[in-house]
Amino acid sequence: MQMKLSNSSLVVCASVAMILLASSRAGAGLPAEHAQTSDAVHSSLAPGQYKAAAGPSDSSDYVGAETCKACHEGIYNNWEKTAHWKTTLDTKGGPSRQGCEGCHGPGAAHVAGGGDITKIFIFKDHSAKEINDRCLTCHASSTQQMQAISSLHAKSDVSCTSCHSPHHAQTQDFLLVKAQPELCYTCHLQQKPQFNMPFHHRVNEGLVQCSDCHNPHGTAAAKQVRTSAAQDAVCFTCHTDKRGPFVFEHEPVKVEGCESCHTPHGSPNAHLLKVSNVNLLCLSCHTTSFANAPGAPSFHNQAAQYQACTLCHAQIHGSNVDHTLFK
């Protein structure tokens, strides 16, 4: 929670904060020598040692969010409009889970040092792992963050604050630094032009979001893809008519998934197919040399133009009445 102040302003802020700190300690009936001991311990720490020492802190090491507001009023005013402000009402977790100090650690030594930034947890000065560990102190129990430690983002040294901003969020939901999909495009540049293809999922139009299909905090599936409520492919969340179960399944749908035939982000081909000629797509499996799929019968005329396999095999995703998927 660092901001630029003039020397005179810093002295005034520190003085006000010290008065508030002294009042809170006096109200708690804590001896002054205890406060001095605490400050001395913190002043002897190097910046890199702060996190290890910030764990089992005494309640006198915490000054409360109102004390932080004395110097950081602009940041405080933004922060109090977010969901994190509700932590000030947490009476069960104690001061270590409340307000600014719930994230930045105990602030008494920071205040006593006149705003010494080496005595408080400044997120931008720490590694992605340290930042994520601190956020997961509260958020690890959420169903959305259960895979966060092993997620692809965590393994790539992407921190929570790379996407979220507790103080300066641009979205009310999830405190994102940018709205989707522009936030995702910051890193995933390869996917951006795919959504400009002639046929694409309407992400740029705002009808679908990246996080509808992917969980940025990690999943057990590849590419952080979500699953439906029935633990099927996430595609079935919207494309419910393709889910089945069918009496006669088209095996690749269940075994290899939708991506065996479709490109999910965008394609130059109708129905987001991998190739423009449907027959070629079918024949990638249905050849006499392919062990597990029946080959095309000899009476099929593949030379005839515009004679797609799906003209007859219309129920390509599965059928309840015909094993040849005719209807």
Side-chain angles (χ1 to χ4, degrees):
M1 301 187 319
Q2 181 183 7
M3 65 185 300
K4 294 181 179 179
L5 298 170
S6 64
N7 291 336
S8 58
S9 298
L10 185 58
V11 171
V12 172
C13 285
S15 300
V16 172
M18 286 298 293
I19 292 171
L20 292 171
L21 176 60
S23 299
S24 64
R25 282 175 172 166
L30 296 171
E33 57 270 17
H34 180 87
Q36 293 172 356
T37 301
S38 174
D39 295 343
V41 170
H42 281 283
S43 64
S44 65
L45 295 175
Q49 294 177 285
Y50 174 78
K51 186 175 182 296
S57 300
D58 191 275
S59 59
S60 63
D61 292 334
Y62 296 89
V63 297
E66 289 298 325
T67 302
C68 303
K69 184 180 179 180
C71 293
H72 306 287
E73 185 173 4
I75 291 177
Y76 182 93
N77 291 339
N78 288 333
W79 169 78
E80 70 175 349
K81 298 181 180 70
T82 71
H84 281 157
W85 179 85
K86 292 187 294 185
T87 61
T88 59
L89 307 177
D90 180 8
T91 58
K92 295 181 180 179
S96 65
R97 291 295 186 95
Q98 295 174 341
C100 309
E101 293 166 301
C103 297
H104 293 279
H110 172 66
V111 171
D116 188 346
I117 63 173
T118 66
K119 298 176 181 178
I120 199 78
F121 189 93
I122 306 295
F123 279 73
K124 68 181 183 64
D125 296 334
H126 290 77
S127 67
K129 184 180 185 305
E130 290 175 311
I131 293 172
N132 294 346
D133 287 347
R134 185 156 288 243
C135 297
L136 289 173
T137 302
C138 295
H139 293 285
S141 59
S142 169
T143 56
Q144 294 297 308
Q145 284 88 32
M146 293 180 67
Q147 303 279 345
I149 296 176
S150 57
S151 71
L152 292 177
H153 281 153
K155 292 177 180 178
S156 300
D157 285 334
V158 177
S159 72
C160 301
T161 52
S162 297
C163 300
H164 304 276
S165 175
H167 301 145
H168 306 291
Q170 298 300 307
T171 67
Q172 188 66 31
D173 294 333
F174 309 118
L175 304 179
L176 298 177
V177 298
K178 288 182 184 178
Q180 295 186 63
E182 292 303 323
L183 174 60
C184 303
Y185 290 160
T186 304
C187 297
H188 300 283
L189 297 177
Q190 182 180 356
Q191 281 68 38
K192 185 174 183 179
Q194 293 175 1
F195 290 107
N196 291 323
M197 291 283 189
F199 303 93
H200 58 269
H201 276 115
R202 287 176 282 183
V203 169
N204 291 338
E205 293 82 353
L207 297 180
V208 184
Q209 291 188 327
C210 304
S211 57
D212 291 334
C213 299
H214 302 273
N215 183 347
H217 304 110
T219 66
K223 300 178 182 178
Q224 304 194 148
V225 174
R226 296 181 185 273
T227 55
S228 68
Q231 297 302 303
D232 284 321
V234 69
C235 311
F236 296 144
T237 303
C238 296
H239 303 281
T240 54
D241 58 315
K242 310 295 190 297
R243 177 188 296 160
F246 298 105
V247 175
F248 303 101
E249 298 277 7
H250 192 189
E251 288 84 355
V253 177
K254 295 296 184 182
V255 178
E256 299 178 35
C258 306
E259 287 184 85
S260 60
C261 297
H262 303 276
T263 55
H265 295 144
S267 170
N269 310 311
H271 306 297
L272 302 180
L273 292 177
K274 286 185 172 182
V275 296
S276 58
N277 189 319
V278 176
N279 289 7
L280 293 180
L281 181 61
C282 298
L283 289 172
S284 63
C285 293
H286 293 280
T287 63
T288 54
S289 61
F290 200 85
N292 296 321
S298 58
F299 59 83
H300 280 56
N301 181 9
Q302 294 296 319
Q305 200 171 19
Y306 309 119
Q307 187 172 333
C309 302
T310 50
L311 290 178
C312 297
H313 303 278
Q315 300 301 315
I316 199 65
H317 297 99
S319 173
N320 288 321
V321 295
D322 194 334
H323 74 281
T324 57
L325 307 182
F326 281 165
K327 57 185 178 179

